[in-house]
Amino acid sequence: MKRTLFLVAVVLVTSFVLAQSFVELYLNASYFGRRIVVEKGPTNKSRIEMVYRWPNDKIVHVLDPVFLVWARHSGLFIMGQPNNYRNSPLEILDLEDLFIKQLREQGITKLEKIDKKYKVTVESPSGLFTAFITEDGLPEKIVRVFNNVTTELVYQHVEVLKESFEEVAQRYGIKSAEETVNLPNEIKLILSTVNWYTVSRLKIGDEQVVMIIANHKSGSVIKMVCSSKDVTVNIEQNEQLLRVKGKDYYLYVIAQDQAILEQVKSLLSKER
């Protein structure tokens, strides 16, 4: 009996060590990849990207549906297009960054070895994450299920990246910008009520706007669009829109929960 318990303990300890070793390998990997991001829910959305990732830095080139480049380097976030980059006052995260954040905070819920790759499951307040990662620590697929929305990050091609951040950044003309994307204080107030958020830029008509998608502390999704002029923002049937006109900007807040929208209204009324 003691021998059996000892063997079980050895297996558990060995599995734990292998899991920790595998996680460290993935977190410290540098790779280049071409990937597709697909969101399945009330509406289906997709985009095509190229990603260059180092342990602490990242460059993402969005190819479709809108041309955009964003980068993270030494804690600074930059976004825009070649010769037109601006510093972002907010952190920019993709699905992989959210997965890594929850992996570090919550730990692995379940780890399975399937052929020559690992299936990693992480249960968190930000959703259920499932990632498929090779033995070499390179990602193949990351999936998140949250509020009846499934987001998939599928890597069509991944290879070890030997170039440094500086070498790739030079090709894209990426450097710290003198100008910063100006965001109204209302956005910062609203972000104080959320657990996490992602920032991107997109076009509505001819206007370049900033799009923020956030997870409210209640678990509900809240979206914000910031534009220098009035634009038409489309919403889903189950969403409601709040339009805020500032001195030289327009802010559109979109929420599925009326109570959240009322909370936002109250918060912004105090600011004004």
Side-chain angles (χ1 to χ4, degrees):
M1 181 65 178
K2 290 182 179 180
R3 179 178 175 79
T4 301
L5 291 174
F6 175 75
L7 290 175
V8 170
V10 169
V11 170
L12 290 174
V13 170
T14 302
S15 299
F16 176 78
V17 171
L18 288 174
Q20 290 299 107
S21 176
F22 162 72
V23 169
E24 290 302 315
L25 185 64
Y26 166 61
L27 295 178
N28 291 302
S30 295
Y31 68 81
F32 163 77
R34 182 181 176 92
R35 64 193 191 183
I36 297 177
V37 186
V38 179
E39 181 181 298
K40 302 174 183 177
T43 59
N44 295 329
K45 303 174 185 176
S46 65
R47 64 180 181 271
I48 302 173
E49 302 176 337
M50 292 194 301
V51 56
Y52 304 82
R53 182 208 155 193
W54 299 266
N56 297 310
D57 300 323
K58 178 177 280 188
I59 296 174
V60 175
H61 179 188
V62 182
L63 300 170
D64 185 72
V66 61
F67 182 91
L68 172 72
V69 178
W70 65 266
R72 176 179 66 237
H73 181 56
S74 300
L76 180 67
F77 295 87
I78 303 167
M79 65 191 306
Q81 299 171 345
N83 302 317
N84 185 27
Y85 289 109
R86 293 189 181 184
N87 296 331
S88 172
L90 305 175
E91 63 179 354
I92 306 173
L93 304 175
D94 59 15
L95 186 63
E96 182 187 39
D97 296 323
L98 294 176
F99 166 67
I100 290 174
K101 182 178 180 181
Q102 296 306 315
L103 176 64
R104 284 174 167 154
E105 292 179 358
Q106 307 295 329
I108 296 175
T109 303
K110 187 177 181 180
L111 179 66
E112 302 172 70
K113 183 73 180 294
I114 303 174
D115 295 328
K116 293 185 178 181
K117 57 188 170 186
Y118 289 91
K119 179 182 179 182
V120 184
T121 303
V122 177
E123 296 180 3
S124 77
S126 300
L128 175 64
F129 291 86
T130 305
F132 295 88
I133 302 170
T134 69
E135 290 179 320
D136 298 325
L138 300 177
E140 287 190 350
K141 185 177 182 180
I142 300 174
V143 181
R144 184 186 68 162
V145 179
F146 181 74
N147 276 4
N148 298 318
V149 175
T150 300
T151 307
E152 297 183 353
L153 190 57
V154 182
Y155 293 79
Q156 296 179 313
H157 170 77
V158 183
E159 63 184 54
V160 173
L161 180 59
K162 297 180 180 179
E163 293 179 288
S164 67
F165 174 88
E166 287 74 19
E167 289 173 316
V168 178
Q170 186 175 22
R171 288 209 306 273
Y172 281 95
I174 296 173
K175 59 183 178 180
S176 179
E178 294 182 1
E179 294 186 28
T180 299
V181 176
N182 294 317
L183 295 177
N185 288 332
E186 286 92 339
I187 287 181
K188 297 174 184 178
L189 278 174
I190 296 171
L191 289 179
S192 68
T193 68
V194 310
N195 288 321
W196 57 258
Y197 58 87
T198 60
V199 184
S200 61
R201 296 184 76 176
L202 54 89
K203 270 193 172 183
I204 297 182
D206 296 328
E207 182 71 5
Q208 277 271 5
V209 305
V210 175
M211 175 78 167
I212 300 173
I213 301 177
N215 171 218
H216 190 269
K217 290 178 180 178
S218 67
S220 180
V221 173
I222 187 168
K223 305 174 186 175
M224 288 174 276
V225 173
C226 184
S227 172
S228 61
K229 66 179 184 181
D230 198 7
V231 295
T232 300
V233 177
N234 296 321
I235 61 174
E236 308 299 333
Q237 279 189 331
N238 62 337
E239 294 179 330
Q240 300 177 67
L241 175 68
L242 171 64
R243 177 178 175 274
V244 179
K245 185 181 185 304
K247 183 179 179 181
D248 54 1
Y249 62 86
Y250 290 84
L251 175 63
Y252 306 86
V253 183
I254 305 146
Q256 298 174 346
D257 192 329
Q258 179 63 36
I260 300 301
L261 208 60
E262 292 300 325
Q263 181 187 20
V264 169
K265 288 180 183 178
S266 177
L267 194 64
L268 298 186
S269 66
K270 293 177 182 178
E271 170 69 7
R272 291 170 177 262

